Structure formats: C-alpha cells, structure tokens
C-alpha cells in the first residue's frame, strides 16, 4: 500500500481524484495552499486510489496522510 | 496629520507605529480574527477588528477599512507594502473619503501597476527598458512571430503581474506555444487582465533597485541603490547596499535614471525603481513599486535616514529639506528576511512559536512581527521578521550578520535561519560575486 503525505501544513484547496481512479506516477492528486503558496501533491508511484482522506477546506499538518493508493 | 490608520499587519505595521510615535501622531491598527493576539494590535493606540482571517474579507476589504477610519477619526491611511498598497481604487476611495493616502496619487499607481503602460512611459522619457514587444497578442502564433524576431530565450509576462507572479521564461517556439494560453488564463484569473507582453530574457542578471523620494513641490531625490539578486521563486531573501557589483560610474547612471523615471510620472512620496542589469552592467527598467519596500531598512541603516518619517512628512505637504549631495552611503547594510519555511524545500511552515529570542547586538536591528507564543497562521505571507545589520565595511557587516543569525533563537516552527547562514558563509557571496541565479545554482550542486 502506498500513500501520499502532505509536504507542508496548510489547507486542501483541490481534490483532483476520487476512490477507484487510476493514477500515474508523478500525477497531481491534491492541491494545498499555505501562506499564499499553492503546492500540488503527487502520487509517487502508479496505482488505484483506495481512499481520499481529506476534503476541500480541511487543514492538514506536514506529514499527514491525505490519500491511500493500492 | 494627527491620526494614522495602518491598513496592514505584522512587522510593517509595527515599523509604521514606531515612526508615528516619534512624530507624536497617534495610530490605529486594523486586524483580522487570526491576528488579534499579534504585537502590532497591542502597540497601536487603537485597534479595530475588520473581519475573518482570509484577506478578501479583512485586509483587502476596503469598505471595512474605511469604516474603521471613520469610526476612529483617522485623517490619514498608511497602506504599508503588499495588500492594498498598490491598489489605485483604494487610494482613490481614501481621497474621496477625505483621507490622506500616504503614497502617490491613484493615477500614478494605476499607470505603474500596468506594466505595458509603465514601459511606454519610461521609453518615452528616455529611461532604458528591456527590449521586448508589448503590442497586441491574441494567439500563441502571434507571440511566436514576435519572439522569433527578438531571439530566445524570452520572458512571457502579464501586464498586470508583479512581485514575481505572472512571468515565465521560454526557450523556443514549442515552449512559448505551450505556455501562452495557460499564462493568459492565469493572468485573467489572478489579475482580471489577460494582456501579455514579451521581454528579451537577460542572462545572469542582477536585480538592482533605486530608492527615490519626491515631495509635492517638484523635488525628487534618489537614496542610492539596493542589490536584491538573492532570490528564491523570484522573491527576495537577502538584500544589501551598496551593491558589490556596481562601480561608481554605473551607480551614478542608474540612480540618475531612477530620478528621471520618477519625474516622468510626477511621482510623489517614497518609491522604488527596479532595474535588471546584465553582466556588462547594462541596465533596464523593470517596474516601479509605488510604496514602501520590505527592504527599506537597508537604505535606512546605510544612510541614517527614516523613510517612514519622510513618507509622513511628504504626505503632510512638507518640502524635502534633504539635498542630493547629503545622501551618502555611511555604512554597508544587509537585510535577511526570516521566513517561516523549510530551509531546504522552502515550503511554508505555519505553527506556534515556542521560544523566541532575537539577538541583542550593536548595529543589529530586528523588525519582527512575532514573539514567544505567536501563532504563525497559514493565511498570510511567511515572512515573520527581518534582521538588518550594518558595518563600516561589507566584510564587517557579513561577519556581524552571521553572528546575529547564530544567536537568533526561534523554535516551534521551521525557519530559513540555517539557509540564510549558508548564503552568508558562501565563498562567492562573500566575494560579492552573485546573480539572481545564485540560490538555484547552489541548490542544484
């Protein structure tokens, strides 16, 4: 099981995939915003989205798991 | 002028409060819900809550700010930097409400905020601008035909952009084709204006800016230059003055060009003319910032002047008493911007500050926004403090900056303190040999 973690603390502003979607390595899956900066989070490896753990507007801390792939 | 409302937050609000207090002017802070415990709110004589944390509902909310001014009986508004400081509509609304806007006229702000208009005004006034094309461009193919004449690489820029946002370097037809429509779409979304223009890309450039001050009576002075080439994501991290790259002749030329630029737009107040300079020391107008700069303390520590006091005086109608020949680089000054960010990835690091102990040393000035226990929220800019040092020589200033940064204690959040130390201890930096590519080059190594 692979997961995507937040690279910084901030707010989730876009969720680009849903459970069941196939994603490629390096694909943007979530976009976060903090301190006037938008940062996309990417899937490190290809897989199927098992669970999206966040919603738009959620505040997450650095290192939090935002998405699980299988 | 008896009471000034500060339409800003953080360190710059505190900075403005200090100069107002010295002149016996009372101050009003406005603050969002997220900032209620910040030092600037306590330090102002009065403070008005203007809205929830997001800036559109608080620090960019013109109606709420003007209502706060009316409620407190303020007779002037200082916009600081960023936020509404270069918003012509805000300056106009202040004027209509009978308030003194501490800055240039709305007309000057509008002209300089539109980069295409600014380029035309400067070219007509004989100020060198970066070779480029600012005519109508609707399609990528039109842009490509103009870029081909200019020669790659070129910068694709949004006319309404600025501060490093809305620009992109392209190296060939294909990159320009891919970038054009998306850049245009972003410009429309961010700035409400999709006018694009092209500039020849200047290789290994220096970013050098000139501080100017002008009164309402036709007197325009320059306050020498600042070297701002140490940047990440096109944003400044460390500034110094005098620039180690300039010789005296080039310095006189660039400062003269800045005065010419200010005169061309009938500028009033404190402002900055930004130039880009190539390795042959040819310089070109980039943009004019019609406000106080973040890095204004570099000029203050170098010359001994108080730029905020000058803003207040000029806005009150005073005649500049300072003479050009009295403006001298008395010391070498360096400013380090302290950001709440990861020192390696440069990604933001909001959180609560646990320990906060700034260094107390002679010739070290700290302009900060925070204290122990401050919550650094994700809503605003990551800059939490500025450390400004000066010395009789550049080497002395660098040594002092290193010592001060080593003593600076901030825990609970990540900061770029280790990165700033890395820059100051770098051999090339110490020799004064660097361009805007410095950080990128060091990071790739």
């Amino acid at each position: 099981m692979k997961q995507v973690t937040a690279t910084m603390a901030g707010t989730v502003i876009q969720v680009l995939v849903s459970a069941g979607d196939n994603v490629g390595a390096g694909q943007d899956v979530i976009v976060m915003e903090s301190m006037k900066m938008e940062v996309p989070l990417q899937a490190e490896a290809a897989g199927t989205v098992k669970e999206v753990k966040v919603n738009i507007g959620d505040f997450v801390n650095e290192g939090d798991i935002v998405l699980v792939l299988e | 002028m008896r009471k000034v409302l500060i339409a800003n937050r953080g360190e710059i609000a505190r900075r403005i409060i200090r100069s107002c207090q010295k002149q016996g002017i009372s101050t009003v802070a406005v603050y969002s819900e997220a900032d209620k415990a910040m030092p600037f709110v306590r330090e102002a004589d009065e403070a008005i809550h203007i809205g929830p944390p997001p800036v559109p509902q608080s620090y960019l909310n013109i109606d709420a700010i003007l209502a706060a001014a009316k409620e407190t009986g303020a007779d002037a508004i200082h916009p600081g930097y960023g936020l509404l400081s270069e918003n012509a509509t805000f300056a106009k609304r202040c004027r209509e409400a009978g308030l003194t806007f501490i800055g240039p006229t709305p007309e000057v702000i509008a002209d300089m905020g539109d980069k295409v208009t600014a380029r035309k005004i400067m070219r007509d006034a004989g100020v060198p601008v970066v070779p480029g094309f600012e005519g109508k461009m609707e399609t990528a193919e039109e842009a490509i035909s103009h870029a081909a004449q200019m020669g790659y690489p070129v910068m694709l820029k949004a006319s309404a952009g600025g501060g490093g946002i809305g620009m992109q370097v392209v190296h060939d037809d294909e990159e320009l084709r891919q970038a054009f429509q998306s850049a245009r779409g972003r410009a429309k979304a961010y700035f409400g204006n999709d006018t694009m223009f092209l500039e020849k890309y200047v290789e290994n450039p220096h970013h050098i800016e000139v501080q100017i001050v002008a009164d309402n009576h036709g007197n325009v002075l320059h306050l020498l230059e600042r070297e701002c080439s140490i940047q990440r994501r096109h944003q400044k991290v460390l500034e110094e003055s005098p620039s180690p790259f300039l010789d005296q002749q080039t310095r006189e030329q660039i400062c003269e060009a800045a005065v010419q630029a200010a005169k061309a737009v009938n500028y009033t107040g404190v402002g900055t003319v930004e130039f880009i300079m190539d390795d042959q020391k040819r310089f070109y107008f980039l943009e004019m910032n019609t406000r106080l700069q973040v890095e204004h303390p570099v000029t203050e520590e170098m010359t001994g002047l108080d730029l905020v006091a000058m803003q207040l005086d000029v806005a009150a109608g005073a005649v500049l008493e300072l003479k050009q020949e009295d403006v001298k680089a008395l010391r070498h000054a360096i400013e380090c911007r302290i950001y709440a960010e990861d020192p390696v990835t440069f990604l933001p690091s909001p959180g609560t500050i646990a320990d906060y102990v700034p260094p107390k040393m002679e010739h070290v000035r700290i302009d900060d926004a925070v204290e122990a226990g401050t919550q650094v929220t994700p809503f605003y800019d990551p800059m939490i403090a500025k450390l400004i040092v000066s010395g009789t020589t550049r080497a002395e200033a660098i040594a002092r900056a290193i010592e001060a940064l080593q003593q600076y204690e901030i825990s609970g959040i990540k900061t770029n303190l280790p990165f700033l130390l890395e820059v100051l201890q770098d051999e090339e930096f110490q020799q004064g040999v660097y361009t805007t590519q410095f950080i990128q080059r060091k990071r790739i190594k």
Side-chain angles (χ1 to χ4, degrees):
Chain A
M1 197 162 65
K2 293 155 283 193
Q3 51 207 27
V4 177
T5 54
T7 51
M8 65 176 183
T11 310
V12 174
I13 57 166
Q14 282 184 65
V15 177
L16 304 170
V17 292
S18 352
D21 287 358
N22 289 316
V23 299
Q27 185 180 333
D28 291 354
V29 290
I30 303 268
V31 183
M32 293 184 55
E33 187 195 71
S34 192
M35 295 175 158
K36 304 197 306 191
M37 192 179 167
E38 284 183 20
V39 175
L41 305 181
Q42 283 118 14
E44 270 182 34
T48 304
V49 178
K50 188 178 175 211
E51 188 189 358
V52 180
K53 289 182 160 290
V54 292
N55 294 306
I56 290 176
D58 285 357
F59 185 84
V60 295
N61 282 304
E62 185 178 341
D64 284 0
I65 298 165
V66 294
L67 191 135
V68 183
L69 293 169
E70 59 181 4
Chain B
M1 202 184 292
R2 293 165 297 105
K3 191 186 274 192
V4 171
L5 180 142
I6 300 153
N8 215 297
R9 59 181 298 282
E11 69 86 18
I12 196 62
R14 298 179 90 184
R15 165 73 192 87
I16 295 161
I17 291 168
R18 285 197 292 277
S19 280
C20 286
Q21 282 172 343
K22 269 190 207 150
Q23 302 208 2
I25 297 170
S26 52
T27 53
V28 181
V30 291
Y31 64 98
S32 76
E33 188 60 30
D35 281 343
K36 61 186 176 196
M38 294 282 279
F40 78 90
V41 177
R42 289 196 302 272
E43 288 168 10
D45 297 307
E46 291 168 80
I48 303 285
H49 176 254
I50 49 165
V55 287
Q57 294 158 63
S58 51
Y59 297 105
L60 295 180
N61 184 342
I62 294 177
D63 290 332
I65 291 167
L66 292 179
K70 195 169 179 201
E71 185 187 333
T72 54
D75 46 22
I77 293 199
H78 195 306
Y81 52 68
L83 297 173
L84 291 171
S85 63
E86 292 178 289
N87 184 312
T89 305
F90 181 58
K92 196 156 165 270
R93 293 277 309 273
C94 289
R95 186 161 70 184
E96 286 163 3
L99 297 160
T100 301
F101 177 81
I102 301 175
T105 63
E107 294 75 20
V108 170
I109 296 173
D111 280 350
M112 293 299 101
D114 185 87
K115 304 307 167 200
V116 166
T117 305
R119 278 172 63 88
K120 284 179 186 151
I121 292 173
M122 292 309 156
R123 192 188 293 115
D124 290 348
V127 177
V129 300
V130 185
F133 177 80
E134 65 255 338
K136 216 169 146 62
M137 283 187 296
E138 294 285 341
T139 64
E141 296 312 313
E142 280 177 79
I144 286 168
S145 72
H146 294 293
Q149 285 172 27
M150 220 179 287
Y152 288 101
V154 303
M155 289 288 264
L156 174 64
K157 292 189 168 184
S159 183
I165 299 163
M167 56 197 248
Q168 201 168 337
V169 54
V170 288
H171 297 86
D172 52 44
D173 288 357
E174 195 42 47
E175 274 187 31
L176 180 51
R177 189 172 288 123
Q178 284 183 11
F180 191 79
Q181 289 306 342
S182 65
R184 218 167 156 225
R186 269 201 305 278
K188 182 85 189 166
Y190 282 122
F191 313 116
N193 176 347
D194 64 1
T195 308
M196 306 299 293
F197 67 104
L198 297 171
E199 269 181 3
K200 175 83 186 130
Y201 180 70
V202 178
E203 308 265 4
N204 295 317
H206 280 252
H207 180 127
I208 295 175
E209 59 187 28
V210 178
Q211 179 69 55
I212 57 128
V213 58
D215 64 19
N216 303 336
H217 310 279
N219 300 302
V220 185
L221 303 178
H222 70 77
L223 307 180
L224 297 163
E225 84 282 6
R226 289 184 292 260
E227 168 69 68
C228 304
S229 299
I230 304 287
Q231 308 185 348
R232 59 119 180 76
R233 295 196 293 260
H234 300 296
Q235 286 171 339
K236 299 161 189 166
V237 177
L238 184 149
E239 304 93 350
E240 64 175 319
S241 190
S243 166
F245 185 61
L246 289 192
D247 53 70
Q248 193 50 32
Q249 194 194 347
T250 313
R251 174 170 294 116
E252 282 167 18
Q253 287 168 350
I254 200 170
C255 290
E256 190 41 51
V259 169
Q260 213 178 323
K263 284 182 175 164
V265 293
N266 294 315
Y267 196 84
T268 49
V270 152
T272 294
V273 187
E274 295 193 341
F275 294 94
I276 195 159
M277 186 178 283
D278 69 13
D279 45 16
Q280 304 300 308
K281 295 193 171 66
R282 285 176 297 220
F283 59 84
Y284 308 97
F285 171 84
L286 260 191
E287 60 182 54
M288 183 161 189
N289 297 131
T290 55
R291 53 170 167 86
L292 190 67
Q293 297 278 96
V294 173
E295 61 273 26
H296 75 276
V298 173
T299 300
E300 295 184 326
E301 297 309 307
M302 170 179 67
T303 60
L305 298 165
D306 179 336
L307 266 63
V308 177
M310 291 177 113
Q311 285 189 299
L312 297 170
D313 290 345
V314 166
V319 176
L320 275 176
E321 284 170 20
L322 187 69
K323 296 281 171 272
Q324 188 63 68
E325 57 269 27
D326 297 329
V327 177
K328 291 200 174 76
L330 304 174
R331 301 177 67 77
H332 189 97
I334 300 175
E335 173 183 274
C336 300
R337 298 192 189 193
I338 299 169
Y339 290 112
E341 69 182 18
D342 186 287
V344 177
T345 62
F346 303 141
L347 289 178
S349 174
T352 302
I353 296 181
D355 301 307
Y356 182 78
V357 189
K360 283 200 179 74
M361 289 166 55
E362 213 186 340
H363 301 304
V364 173
R365 163 176 165 185
I366 309 287
D367 283 15
D368 55 5
V370 298
E371 60 196 356
T374 297
Q375 250 193 311
V376 181
T377 65
F379 303 108
Y380 314 113
D381 192 271
M383 196 182 77
I384 53 170
K386 306 184 301 204
L387 178 140
I388 310 101
V389 304
S390 68
T392 52
T393 62
R394 183 170 186 267
E396 188 188 310
I398 292 173
R400 185 166 284 136
I402 291 171
E403 195 186 338
L405 286 171
Q406 282 166 340
Q407 287 186 23
Y408 214 131
E409 213 181 303
I410 307 173
S411 69
I413 56 167
K414 290 190 276 188
T415 71
N416 66 337
L417 285 172
F419 174 71
L420 290 166
L421 271 170
E422 210 182 300
V423 172
L424 287 159
Q425 287 168 334
D426 181 271
E427 205 176 311
E428 283 175 16
F429 177 80
Q430 294 196 345
Q431 287 165 0
V433 185
Y434 62 83
T435 69
T436 57
Q437 308 302 305
F438 178 84
I439 290 178
Q440 220 177 341
R441 279 186 43 223
K442 295 287 162 187
R443 275 295 181 253
I444 289 163
K445 264 182 198 170

